[in-house]
């Protein structure tokens, strides 16, 4: 019998998958530093360390920013960002399960969680992309950024 | 990390507010300076586009907020339940484990605490050393001198632990500092090693005093019960980091004029909204527990199956269940934990295997950690389980084993061969004929030789009255390691064996517990007596639970016991002898005229310095008892009691 904090295979696979998605998309846009994030995120989950996982996610995120600055296709930047936030979501969830359930972590609960998050993030991203394509004609760019910023701040303050 | 030590929320908040305040202050200072420049030299003042200024300020604000959130999160502003390690027996402890922890300084939180611990260790080892020296024939008044002179050992580092002064050279000290090992720890380890050598206990697993030994305490969590868990709803704050990334990406998008980065904030915003639209989960669950063996033998493995049904109307997205394994039992296979997602009406099942120990063990109510779909809120609660609530395991004596009793007996006929002459089977002596002696005992051979009339005497066989005392104080809930049964558990098994075998030998047998709870079965004989004892051994609270808040007062317990003990009783004490109170009680009772035999299951090991020290202390206790003419059976952990008895009996043959 062992009670080690062992992350499940599902958790590792999901983290690796989402990180790979983010890294490949960011690299296509020119953010090659994101490739560093994949092994780092996997290591973080393997060692149930949120800090190491966050390090991996930051590397992925740096790739997203570089791709955005390099004026890559907005669709690719958006895809890379979806991968990055999902990587944090599934990775942190795998760590949390490993800490609370020890060796019996994994199974349906991780897959369902990842599926729900992916569906939501993907859906929101697609609708955002459609709005972006339709609106990139005339509206001032500042309006969108202020809108997004305002929303994020409201959500974060609600969480305090 | 998780919330083993729940931080005081106010403390965390204060620190982070101050960092946010610092950022604000810096921005304010810059603004004032810029304004001052503009006032002084109005020509420098640009004609600013107001929208641009707002944009810029918002972006900077977003980046600062993101930084604050990230730093706070990574510093530990997140929490989740850290459940106890229910897989281990929470009632038992390992002798010497805390001493090991003190040695490496793991338990001290300040330098003053560290100093006090070292002082305690020194006093403890000094007592041990005094005992060892007295045993090796040094007069009591010369012991102190020997310790101070350091002549008791060849190891200068060991000797220096008890004397003022410093045994290490500058180089050695520098090396210790580099490896972050305290010199006092090294000295203590050497001292323990030297005392063990002095006592000629060389058959040890830990032999190198420069090595810390196998001190693998449980590092991966904490052992306890669900009642020690803090039940409340927790904010996991796991979306903080996503919020920070989203703010950063918007801020950079505005600053760098990259519209695709602003667009990239959309998925994060969606997930944050998902978190705040979710509500605290309140699943309705039905839990049923079954065991595959209702009446297990001691040591048998019992499979426990738990079925969980979602009886509510809503989907239970994220359930983490921990079954309430009885605190006195250990899990040997599988896991009593399970994570699942349940649709309304759906059920899931998981199983684990426990090792049955004697006694009646009550399952605790299972613990449920439920999270909302986003994982942002976590609720902790217990649910009552249906089905099996107890695991009951009765002692099953094989009647092959006994512990020899002493020759103090009653007048009743029995099977203990006494030293008084009379009728019996074994020859005792010859004495002069007295009228009235039975004809068949007259030594006719002698009479025929003309040697006069004499009578043969045989050793009389009487019944003994034996009271089995079981040490069930908290000090008896000790085991050689975290996964083994406790010494008390072994005592209960042995007591059952001895009880039945003495009954079979027509002795009168009684039972008593030395514990915070009173437990007494008056000596009796016959077949009806064993079921009474079996019930006590299985279900009495004295044997199944540690004392908790109830305290054990040795003097009160002794007085209570002496009131009940019959005059001619002899005692068999089952105790691991892990503290001096047990020795004191055994010697006291022996001195009161109740001949004492001690059966002592050994819970100590020699895998590390601290554990070796407790092993040595116990060995000295055994010798003290033997010197007081108490019979001692030292029962090693992996040995049948019969073998230990045979080994001990050879020592008694005088």
């Amino acid at each position: 019998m062992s009670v080690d904090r062992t992350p499940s295979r599902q958790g590792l696979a999901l983290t690796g998958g989402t990180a790979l998605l983010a890294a490949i998309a960011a690299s296509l846009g020119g953010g090659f530093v994101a490739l560093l994030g994949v092994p780092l995120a996997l290591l973080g989950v393997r060692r149930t360390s949120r800090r190491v996982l966050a390090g991996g996610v930051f590397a992925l995120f740096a790739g997203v920013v570089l791709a955005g600055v390099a004026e890559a296709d907005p669709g690719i930047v958006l895809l890379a960002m979806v991968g990055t936030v999902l990587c944090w979501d599934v990775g942190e969830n795998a760590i949390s399960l490993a800490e609370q359930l020890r060796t019996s972590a994994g199974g349906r609960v991780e897959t369902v969680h990842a599926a729900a998050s992916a569906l939501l993030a993907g859906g929101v991203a697609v609708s955002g992309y459609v709005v972006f394509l339709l609106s990139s004609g005339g509206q001032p760019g500042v309006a969108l950024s202020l809108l997004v910023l305002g929303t994020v701040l409201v959500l974060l303050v609600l969480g305090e | 990390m998780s919330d083993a030590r729940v931080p005081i929320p106010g403390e965390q908040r204060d620190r982070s507010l101050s960092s946010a305040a610092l950022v604000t202050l810096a921005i304010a200072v810059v603004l004032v300076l810029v304004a001052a420049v503009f006032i002084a030299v109005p020509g420098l003042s640009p004609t600013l586009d107001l929208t641009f200024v707002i944009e810029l300020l918002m972006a900077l604000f977003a980046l600062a907020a993101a930084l604050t959130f990230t730093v706070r999160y990574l510093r530990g502003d997140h929490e989740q339940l850290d459940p106890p390690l229910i897989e281990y027996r929470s009632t038992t402890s390992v002798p010497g484990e805390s001493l090991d922890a003190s040695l490496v300084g793991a338990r001290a939180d300040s330098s003053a605490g560290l100093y006090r611990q070292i002082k305690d260790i020194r006093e403890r080892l000094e007592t041990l050393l005094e005992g060892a020296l007295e045993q090796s024939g040094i007069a009591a008044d010369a012991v102190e001198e020997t310790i101070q002179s350091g002549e008791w050992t060849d190891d200068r580092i060991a000797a220096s632990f008890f004397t003022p002064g410093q045994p290490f050279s500058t180089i050695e000290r520098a090396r210790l500092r580099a490896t972050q090992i305290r010199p006092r720890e090294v000295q203590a380890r050497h001292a323990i090693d030297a005392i063990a050598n002095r006592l000629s206990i060389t058959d040890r697993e830990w032999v190198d005093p420069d090595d810390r030994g196998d001190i693998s305490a449980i590092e991966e969590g904490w052992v306890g019960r669900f009642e020690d868990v803090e039940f409340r709803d927790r904010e996991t704050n796991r979306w903080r980091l996503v919020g920070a990334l989203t703010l950063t990406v918007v801020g950079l998008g505005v600053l760098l004029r990259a519209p695709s980065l602003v667009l990239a904030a959309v998925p994060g915003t969606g997930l944050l909204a998902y978190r705040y639209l979710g509500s605290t989960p309140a699943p309705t669950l039905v839990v049923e527990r079954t065991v595959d063996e209702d009446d297990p033998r001691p040591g048998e493995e019992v499979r426990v199956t738990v079925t969980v049904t979602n009886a509510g109307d809503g989907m239970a997205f994220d359930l983490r269940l921990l079954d309430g394994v009885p605190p006195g039992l250990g899990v040997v296979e599988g896991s009593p934990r399970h994570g699942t997602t349940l649709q309304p009406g759906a059920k899931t099942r998981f199983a684990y295997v426990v090792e049955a120990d004697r006694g009646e063990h009550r399952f605790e109510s299972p613990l449920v950690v439920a999270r909302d779909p986003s994982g942002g809120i976590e609720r902790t609660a217990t649910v009552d389980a249906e089905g099996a609530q107890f695991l009951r395991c009765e002692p099953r004596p094989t009647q092959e084993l006994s512990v020899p009793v002493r020759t103090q007996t009653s007048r009743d006929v029995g099977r203990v061969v006494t030293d008084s002459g009379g009728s019996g089977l074994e020859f005792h002596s010859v004495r002069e004929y007295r009228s009235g002696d039975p004809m068949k005992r007259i030594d006719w051979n002698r009479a025929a030789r003309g040697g006069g009339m004499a009578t043969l005497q045989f050793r009389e066989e009487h019944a003994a009255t034996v009271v089995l005392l079981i040490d069930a104080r908290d000090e008896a809930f000790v085991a050689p390691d975290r996964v083994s049964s406790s010494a008390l558990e072994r005592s209960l098994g042995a007591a059952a064996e001895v009880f039945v075998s003495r009954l079979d030998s027509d002795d009168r047998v009684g039972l008593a517990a030395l514990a915070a709870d009173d437990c007494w079965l008056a000596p009796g004989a016959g077949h009806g007596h064993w079921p009474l004892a079996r019930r006590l051994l299985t279900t009495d609270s004295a044997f199944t639970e540690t004392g908790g808040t109830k305290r054990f007062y040795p003097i009160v317990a002794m007085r209570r016991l002496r009131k009940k003990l019959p005059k001619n009783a002899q005692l068999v004490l089952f105790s691991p002898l892990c503290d001096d109170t047990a020795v004191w009680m055994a010697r006291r009772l022996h001195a009161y005229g109740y001949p004492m035999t001690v059966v002592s299951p050994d819970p100590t090991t020699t895998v590390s310095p601290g554990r070796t020290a407790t092993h040595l202390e116990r060995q000295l206790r055994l010798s003290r008892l033997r010197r007081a003419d108490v019979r001692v059976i030292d029962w090693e952990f992996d040995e049948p009691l019969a073998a230990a008895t045979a080994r001990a009996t050879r020592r008694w043959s005088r």
Side-chain angles (χ1 to χ4, degrees):
Chain A
M1 186 213 45
S2 133
V3 289
D4 298 334
R5 295 187 177 95
T6 320
S8 62
R9 262 172 301 158
Q10 285 99 327
L12 282 169
L14 288 167
T15 313
T18 49
L20 214 56
L21 172 75
I24 290 174
S27 303
L28 285 179
F32 294 101
V33 66
L35 290 173
L36 266 180
V38 182
L40 210 53
L42 281 174
L43 183 75
V45 174
R46 182 75 199 78
R47 295 181 43 188
T48 63
S49 160
R50 286 187 174 82
R51 288 183 187 194
V52 177
L53 174 66
V57 170
F58 289 153
L60 295 175
F61 182 70
V64 174
V65 172
L66 287 180
V69 171
E71 294 186 353
D73 180 57
I76 283 183
V77 179
L78 190 60
L79 190 64
M81 190 63 184
V82 169
T84 306
V85 290
L86 284 181
C87 176
W88 169 258
D89 182 35
V90 295
E92 202 276 343
N93 195 42
I95 292 175
S96 141
L97 276 161
E99 284 179 348
Q100 290 186 332
L101 298 179
R102 304 299 165 119
T103 44
S104 61
R108 265 167 64 87
V109 64
E110 279 186 60
T111 322
V112 169
H113 180 94
S117 296
L119 212 63
L120 190 102
V124 172
V126 166
S127 38
Y129 190 54
V130 169
V131 171
F132 179 81
L133 285 184
L134 291 180
S135 70
S136 48
Q139 290 83 351
V142 65
L144 181 63
S145 46
L146 286 180
L147 190 69
V148 172
L149 195 63
T151 321
V152 173
L153 285 177
V154 166
L155 289 173
L156 284 174
V157 169
L158 277 181
E160 281 297 292
Chain B
M1 292 308 295
S2 42
D3 64 353
R5 296 162 297 277
V6 181
I8 304 158
E11 195 183 44
Q12 286 285 339
R13 193 145 297 188
D14 284 349
R15 196 197 301 157
S16 3
L17 266 187
S18 70
S19 71
L22 273 180
V23 173
T24 320
L25 200 65
I27 294 174
V29 168
V30 170
L31 289 179
V32 169
L33 285 179
V34 171
V37 170
F38 288 169
I39 291 168
V41 193
L44 273 184
S45 165
T47 46
L48 279 178
D49 180 3
L50 189 64
T51 330
F52 173 75
V53 172
I54 293 177
E55 247 185 58
L56 192 72
L57 285 182
M58 287 303 268
L60 287 176
F61 177 68
L63 290 179
L67 191 69
T68 315
F69 282 128
T70 311
V71 169
R72 279 170 65 169
Y73 185 86
L74 292 182
R75 271 194 184 168
D77 186 18
H78 54 85
E79 64 170 338
Q80 63 175 20
L81 174 77
D82 181 21
L85 292 174
I86 42 173
E87 285 85 354
Y88 296 113
R89 294 172 175 84
S90 61
T91 48
T92 57
S93 59
V94 177
E97 198 178 68
S98 62
L99 184 56
D100 275 325
S102 299
L103 270 178
V104 299
R107 300 194 323 150
D109 43 7
S110 64
S111 54
L114 203 62
Y115 175 77
R116 213 173 311 121
Q117 274 183 11
I118 287 290
K119 194 163 155 280
D120 290 347
I121 295 173
R122 213 186 84 126
E123 279 166 10
R124 188 166 166 182
L125 292 186
E126 198 160 344
T127 315
L128 177 63
L129 176 58
E130 282 164 8
L133 292 179
E134 277 173 34
Q135 190 175 335
S136 58
I138 292 176
D141 46 356
V143 163
E144 186 57 31
E145 205 177 301
T146 317
I147 296 176
Q148 285 306 322
S149 69
E151 281 163 10
W152 57 278
T153 174
D154 299 334
D155 186 340
R156 75 193 158 83
I157 300 176
S160 71
F161 188 61
F162 303 103
T163 54
Q166 213 342 321
F168 297 110
S169 66
T170 321
I171 298 167
E172 280 173 325
R173 262 193 309 232
R175 194 173 49 81
L176 286 175
R177 199 165 303 137
T179 48
Q180 294 201 328
I181 296 173
R182 287 169 301 121
R184 297 301 273 169
E185 181 196 338
V186 179
Q187 286 174 288
R189 274 194 255 132
H190 276 262
I192 293 170
D193 180 66
I195 299 170
N197 290 337
R198 178 91 198 181
L199 283 169
S200 317
I201 294 175
T202 46
D203 180 22
R204 284 181 280 139
E205 281 170 70
W206 167 77
V207 281
D208 177 13
D210 289 316
D211 176 52
R212 276 185 173 173
D214 180 13
I215 55 170
S216 59
I218 291 177
E219 279 159 8
E220 63 264 37
W222 60 286
V223 179
R225 304 179 173 204
F226 289 159
E227 65 188 36
D228 307 325
V229 168
E230 199 183 340
F231 288 95
R232 61 186 168 90
D233 297 343
R234 290 175 168 82
E235 285 276 350
T236 59
N237 288 348
R238 61 195 298 270
W239 293 107
R240 278 281 168 75
L241 206 76
V242 172
L245 293 184
T246 308
L247 282 172
T248 313
V249 85
V250 182
L252 289 176
V254 172
L255 278 183
L256 305 172
R257 309 235 153 246
S260 58
L261 282 185
V262 179
L263 175 64
V266 170
T269 317
L271 286 170
L272 283 174
Y274 177 46
R275 150 72 188 89
Y276 294 117
L277 295 179
S279 56
T280 313
T284 315
L285 301 177
V286 176
V287 181
E288 198 187 352
R289 186 192 294 119
T290 53
V291 292
D292 70 342
E293 176 63 66
D294 288 330
D295 188 20
R297 283 191 305 280
E300 194 175 329
E301 295 187 346
V302 181
R303 174 172 286 268
V304 183
T305 309
V306 181
T307 312
V308 189
T309 313
N310 182 1
D313 301 327
M315 169 107 174
F317 264 95
D318 189 336
L319 293 176
R320 298 153 188 208
L321 289 134
L322 284 84
D323 192 23
V325 182
L329 295 181
V331 176
V332 290
E333 202 188 307
S335 170
R337 310 175 185 225
H338 189 64
T340 189
T341 304
L342 286 179
Q343 289 169 337
K347 63 171 69 176
T348 182
R349 178 174 296 171
F350 62 99
Y352 57 96
V353 178
V354 294
E355 186 185 351
D357 277 354
R358 288 168 198 86
E360 192 170 70
H361 302 274
R362 177 184 267 281
F363 284 95
E364 300 192 285
S365 289
L367 181 84
V368 180
V369 180
R371 287 188 168 200
D372 73 317
S374 75
I377 312 172
E378 178 185 277
R379 166 162 284 183
T380 311
T382 53
V383 275
D384 290 333
E386 297 165 7
Q389 305 292 338
F390 289 101
L391 193 66
R392 197 186 150 102
C393 172
E394 294 183 339
R396 305 204 179 175
T398 53
Q399 308 187 0
E400 283 163 6
L401 178 122
S402 182
V403 167
V405 293
R406 302 216 176 184
T407 49
Q408 172 160 332
T409 55
S410 65
R411 307 295 304 161
D412 298 333
V413 174
R415 297 197 197 162
V416 179
V417 181
T418 62
D419 274 339
S420 56
S423 62
L425 288 172
E426 197 180 323
F427 177 75
H428 178 259
S429 57
V430 181
R431 66 160 164 75
E432 228 168 74
Y433 174 79
R434 292 178 205 152
S435 72
D437 280 346
M439 290 252 288
K440 65 174 182 184
R441 276 173 49 202
I442 293 172
D443 191 352
W444 292 114
N445 291 336
R446 186 172 169 163
R449 281 203 304 273
M453 295 287 270
T455 306
L456 291 176
Q457 293 205 101
F458 299 90
R459 294 169 74 154
E460 289 188 330
E461 295 178 1
H462 286 177
T465 302
V466 183
V467 174
L468 309 180
L469 289 177
I470 297 170
D471 182 358
R473 299 168 303 136
D474 288 1
E475 285 81 357
F477 284 85
V478 282
D481 52 58
R482 277 283 168 190
V483 292
S484 301
S485 320
S486 69
L488 174 64
E489 151 75 11
R490 295 168 67 203
S491 293
L492 289 175
E497 300 270 359
V498 174
F499 196 97
V500 171
S501 66
R502 291 322 319 172
L503 273 187
D504 282 356
S505 312
D506 299 332
D507 291 331
R508 300 171 63 80
V509 197
L511 191 68
L514 293 175
D517 281 343
D518 194 17
C519 166
W520 168 257
L521 177 67
H527 290 299
H529 203 51
W530 163 238
L532 293 178
R534 186 176 56 199
R535 198 175 56 77
L536 281 183
L537 288 174
T538 312
T539 61
D540 197 278
S541 60
F543 302 129
T544 52
E545 289 278 323
T546 46
T549 52
K550 278 182 273 185
R551 281 199 54 194
F552 175 76
Y553 298 98
I555 296 178
V556 179
M558 294 274 280
R559 199 174 298 147
R560 210 163 52 194
L561 189 63
R562 280 185 63 203
K563 269 188 197 147
K564 292 173 185 160
L565 281 178
K567 222 176 189 156
N568 53 8
Q570 50 175 301
L571 304 175
V572 181
L573 170 66
F574 298 84
S575 169
L577 296 178
C578 277
D579 66 334
D580 289 330
T581 313
V583 177
W584 176 82
M585 289 190 294
R587 289 180 60 166
R588 253 334 219 328
L589 287 167
H590 189 72
Y592 284 141
Y594 303 106
M596 172 71 82
T597 306
V598 177
V599 178
S600 182
D602 184 2
T604 61
T605 55
T606 53
V607 295
S608 67
R611 283 159 230 214
T612 306
T614 49
H615 179 75
L616 302 179
E617 284 167 351
R618 184 171 168 279
Q619 291 302 321
L620 285 182
R621 281 187 207 112
L622 294 187
S623 342
R624 278 222 303 285
L625 278 178
R626 286 182 183 126
R627 280 206 300 275
D629 195 33
V630 172
R631 287 177 166 181
V632 181
I633 299 174
D634 183 13
W635 180 16
E636 281 165 22
F637 181 71
D638 46 4
E639 173 185 58
L641 180 56
T645 310
R647 199 153 41 80
T649 319
R650 281 199 294 276
R651 296 178 74 129
W652 302 340
S653 52
R654 60 199 163 87

